[in-house]
Amino acid sequence: MAGAASVAFAGLLARRLFSSSAAWVFALVLVSLDGFAIAYSRVALLDSMLTSLLLLSLLLSLGQSTVSLVGAIVVGGLAMGIKFTGVCYLGPLGCALLLRSGPGRVR
């Protein structure tokens, strides 16, 4: 389930970031054919859940409302609760939040 969710979240994230439809189709194909996700689906169960939650958190951080921002923080916290390597996500999330909320904010 988490692997399929990762594919869907990566496609939605690419669709939000790039205007080209080929970019999000390429992201879908690339993530779905990832060798790690296929070969280690039984061994690395926590990694696939971590990946899907981090992708969802990135997707939510691109939203315009405060609710999506709070959702991104909550989902990022859940990812860190699953596996502590989710802490590596704090840097990019902090940069995204600073770029989004500062005086020279990126839209």
Side-chain angles (χ1 to χ4, degrees):
M1 291 294 283
S6 293
V7 172
F9 293 148
L12 289 172
L13 187 64
R15 191 173 188 182
R16 287 282 303 261
L17 291 175
F18 305 109
S19 60
S20 170
S21 62
W24 68 269
V25 170
F26 180 71
L28 284 173
V29 170
L30 190 67
V31 173
S32 65
L33 296 178
D34 181 28
F36 179 80
I38 295 170
Y40 291 105
S41 62
R42 296 286 184 193
V43 178
L45 290 174
L46 294 178
D47 291 332
S48 62
M49 291 175 63
L50 176 72
T51 302
S52 63
L53 285 176
L54 290 179
L55 285 171
L56 177 61
S57 183
L58 277 172
L59 185 64
L60 288 173
S61 69
L62 293 175
Q64 298 297 324
S65 68
T66 305
V67 175
S68 67
L69 179 63
V70 170
I73 293 170
V74 168
V75 172
L78 288 173
M80 284 186 277
I82 287 178
K83 200 168 180 183
F84 197 66
T85 55
V87 171
C88 298
Y89 172 70
L90 286 177
L93 179 62
C95 289
L97 296 178
L98 286 175
L99 286 174
R100 188 176 152 203
S101 63
R105 63 188 249 192
V106 177
R107 294 180 187 219

